[in-house]
Structures are given as structure tokens and as C-alpha cells.
Amino acid sequence: MRPTPSWGPPSPEQLGWTLDRHIFERQRRVQGATGDFTGLFQSIALAGRMIAARVHKAGLSDVLGRVGATNVQGEEVQRLDVIANQILVRCVEAGGHVCVMASEENEDIIPIPPHFPHGKYVLMFDPLDGSSNIDVCMSIGTIFSVHRRLSKAGPGTREDCLQKGTEQVAAGYILYGSSTVLVYTTGQGVHGFTLDPLVGEFFLSHENIRIPKRGATYSVNEGNTLRWDPRVREWVAWLKSADAPGGQPYGHRYIGTLVADFHRTLLKGGIFAYPADDKNPSGKLRLLYECAPMAFIAEAAGGAATTGTRRVLDIEPEALHDRTPLFIGSAEDVADLERRLA
Ligand code: AHM
Ligand code: MG
């Protein structure tokens, strides 16, 4: 006998909830909204689709490998890094929604060319996070953070970029994984959209994501163990022991791309850590392009993010490329870590 077909509930595509529509509906609820925010998001999503297209056929086009230079962080620049950076800048600069940008790949702020209008927002991004994974077909991502400008008019300034994480008006990331997923928050609710590559649209696939209060997985580069503060070493040893919360050892997962490790942590719970170490005494990850946007998302989903001693979102940046230690994830897992470092 042939099985009875089960059609199930309508898919996100059938419902037509695209990213554009989701943001537009929200804009309608804000009195006096100008559409600038919606426009900025459309530009970011376009850049995401363009980067995804290049990432997914990277081995076939001439985009893999190094450009032979190091970036402001002293790291080797990969070709796809440069391409992703250019795509984001070009997609956003002409829209008239931002007054200045800053990127992990650029030493200084990225001004908006004078022939384009200057808008009220500031955009900061890590165009291609997880660079070391590009050439080996592992998940990589884009991270972005949006602030309102502080300066009154005209070209934006470095000070417009140097704002605390609490001042973000939106943050998000795009994960180029087994599928391409865009996750964003404006501080209330975290929503995820999956790219249908045939339609070329992001459809709502993860509405109102809440991070579990506690997880059962930790994510850290354990190759750095000998370089850590002994209290961090003891904390990781505890997570691996039968004394760990739940009475059994935590599992370990580490991809080495913050976007991918964070996405898993957001959906399944647990904790991701990049502690300070002897080589990176202030931590490795950058406050403005990586830690603050992810902390904004984590808190909006009911999780937490700390340097070990203070809330990441409260850090006042001093320079564009400031770094900070990061412990982020389920609220109870982060609280345990804080207690152990106190
Ligand atoms: P990148 O932005 O240059 O790719 O560097 C940041 C990446 C993060 O995505 C990841 O969490 C970390 O560096 C991995 O570092 P390591 O290879 O030291 O474990
Ligand atoms: Mg990065």
C-alpha cells in the first residue's frame, strides 16, 4: 500500500515571510520611521546574498588563497576577505542610510564618498569571520553592528563608531554554512532567516530564538590551555568532569569560526569562550566587530556575555580595533564562569 502523503504545515516560503517583509512590518509599528533602517537592512542582506554566492562556489572561481598582505590585526588576508569587504562597502555606501562604516579589515574608518548622501546610522562589520576556514570549506560568516550616529550631520566620525555595545540599535550575522542563515536583533527578539538560493530570498525560519538557560557543550580552542589563567584551566577541567552541572561531562565542539560556534550555542545552549592568554593578553576577538554584536544578540535571546569580570556590552571602546576576552552563551553557564573567575 502506498503511504498517505503528509503535507504538513506551510513552509516559510509558502507563507512568504521574507526578511524584507519582516523588517518592513516592524518599521510600520514605529511612529515616525523613515524607512532608513529597512533600507540599510536590504543593503546588508543583498551583500550577504552576494557573499554567499561567492563562498558557495569558492573552489571554482579564483577567490581562494592569500593576497600576500597582512591586515591591521597582523593576520594574513585571504582573497575572499577582501572581496567580502568590498561587497559590503559597495552595497551600503550608496544607500544614504549610513554616515560612516568601520571594518575589521580596514585600519581606519570607511568614509562615505562625498557624492553619496550621509544617513543617520553607523555600520561596523567583520566581512568574513573565520578566515582560516575559508580554504578548507568550513563554515564562515559575516558579523554586523548598527549604531545611531552621535555627530549631527555630514560625514561620520571615529567617535560615531566608538560607542558602547548597549547603544547598538541592531546587530546580526550571516552564517555561510550547510545553508546560509541571517540572524538579527534590534534588542527585542532574535530572528533567523534561511536563504533559499533558488529564489534568492531570506525566509523566516527561526522566529524569536531563545537560548536555553543552560547547555551541555563548551566551545574553546583547547590548544591554548597552557597559555590561560589557571582559573580558566580549572573551569574547563570542571566542565569536562563528572562534577559538571547535570552530573556529567560537557561535550566539546569547536569550529574556529565565531559565527558558527555562536550560532550553535545560540540554538542549543552552552558556552563559547575565547579567553585572554599569554599570546593575546586582551583576548583575540575584536570588541566592535565580533564581541559587542554577538553579546547584543545573546542578551536579546536571554543569554549573557562577559569578559570574565564585566558585561561585554558595557565596555567603552577606546580604539576601533580593541580586543576583549569573551565568554558567551547560556545565562547559567556564563554565571558559573563568572563565579569561578571572581
Ligand atoms: P577572523 O575574524 O580573522 O577570522 O578571526 C576570528 C576568529 C573567530 O571566528 C574564531 O572564534 C577565532 O578567530 C578562532 O581563533 P583560533 O584559530 O585561535 O582558535
Ligand atoms: Mg572575525
Side-chain angles (χ1 to χ4, degrees):
M1 217 173 74
R2 288 208 328 214
T4 319
S6 152
W7 301 107
S11 69
E13 286 111 312
Q14 285 164 337
L15 288 171
W17 273 102
T18 62
L19 175 65
D20 276 1
R21 187 163 159 199
H22 187 87
I23 291 174
F24 184 69
E25 290 297 328
R26 276 168 170 66
Q27 177 203 311
R28 277 221 275 239
R29 293 184 213 152
V30 180
Q31 242 191 350
T34 57
D36 262 329
F37 188 76
T38 308
L40 172 57
F41 253 79
Q42 283 171 336
S43 306
I44 295 171
L46 171 64
R49 291 197 299 269
M50 290 171 68
I51 297 169
R54 280 148 182 88
V55 166
H56 292 310
K57 60 175 187 192
L60 301 174
S61 41
D62 195 21
V63 296
L64 293 180
R66 301 170 187 149
V67 294
T70 51
N71 67 9
V72 54
Q73 329 282 348
E75 298 151 345
E76 287 194 283
V77 179
Q78 310 286 320
R79 272 194 229 179
L80 213 48
D81 275 329
V82 175
I83 293 168
N85 204 39
Q86 280 168 352
I87 288 175
L88 266 156
V89 171
R90 295 285 173 265
C91 284
V92 174
E93 67 179 1
H97 311 300
V98 304
C99 61
V100 66
M101 290 183 267
S103 162
E104 189 189 294
E105 296 299 327
N106 292 60
E107 185 158 6
D108 209 345
I109 54 173
I110 305 171
I112 304 303
H115 49 280
F116 293 132
H118 293 91
K120 59 178 177 235
Y121 292 112
V122 175
L123 177 68
M124 289 181 282
F125 51 85
D126 177 355
L128 215 51
D129 175 58
S131 299
S132 62
N133 281 327
I134 294 175
D135 281 3
V136 291
C137 266
M138 304 269 287
S139 297
I140 46 184
T142 296
I143 309 172
F144 59 90
S145 161
V146 182
H147 284 264
R148 213 164 262 121
R149 69 182 302 170
L150 298 173
S151 55
K152 293 283 174 264
T157 62
R158 193 170 300 115
E159 284 60 47
D160 285 325
C161 297
L162 298 179
Q163 300 188 50
K164 284 200 293 193
T166 45
E167 304 307 311
Q168 289 172 100
V169 293
Y173 59 81
I174 305 165
L175 169 62
Y176 313 105
S178 52
S179 47
T180 297
V181 177
L182 185 152
V183 173
Y184 90 97
T185 183
T186 53
Q188 288 146 2
V190 178
H191 308 292
F193 299 78
T194 302
L195 179 66
D196 181 331
L198 295 179
V199 183
E201 281 284 1
F202 283 103
F203 289 94
L204 183 62
S205 51
H206 301 71
E207 196 171 16
N208 206 10
I209 301 170
R210 303 295 298 167
I211 183 167
K213 281 197 175 339
R214 181 176 286 288
T217 306
Y218 71 100
S219 183
V220 68
N221 183 344
E222 282 204 73
N224 294 331
T225 306
L226 293 179
R227 301 198 188 106
W228 293 335
D229 178 317
R231 287 170 303 175
V232 174
R233 274 209 289 270
E234 282 157 25
W235 166 67
V236 170
W238 173 67
L239 290 176
K240 293 194 286 187
S241 75
D243 294 332
Q248 51 179 323
Y250 272 34
H252 179 244
R253 294 280 183 282
Y254 190 71
I255 295 168
T257 294
L258 172 64
V259 175
D261 284 313
F262 178 74
H263 187 64
R264 182 196 55 248
T265 306
L266 181 67
L267 297 185
K268 301 207 163 166
I271 187 161
F272 168 88
Y274 209 109
D277 58 47
D278 288 350
K279 206 166 98 196
N280 304 292
S282 308
K284 177 185 178 188
L285 301 178
R286 297 75 175 178
L287 175 62
L288 291 175
Y289 319 109
E290 293 168 325
C291 302
M294 291 313 202
F296 197 59
I297 299 168
E299 288 200 9
T306 176
T307 66
T309 49
R310 62 185 298 210
R311 184 184 176 212
V312 170
L313 291 180
D314 284 336
I315 304 173
E316 197 91 56
E318 287 173 9
L320 287 177
H321 296 283
D322 280 357
R323 296 170 191 254
T324 176
L326 177 68
F327 301 86
I328 188 167
S330 295
E332 290 180 11
D333 288 306
V334 173
D336 284 343
L337 170 277
E338 277 181 315
R339 265 193 303 277
R340 286 184 158 255
L341 290 197

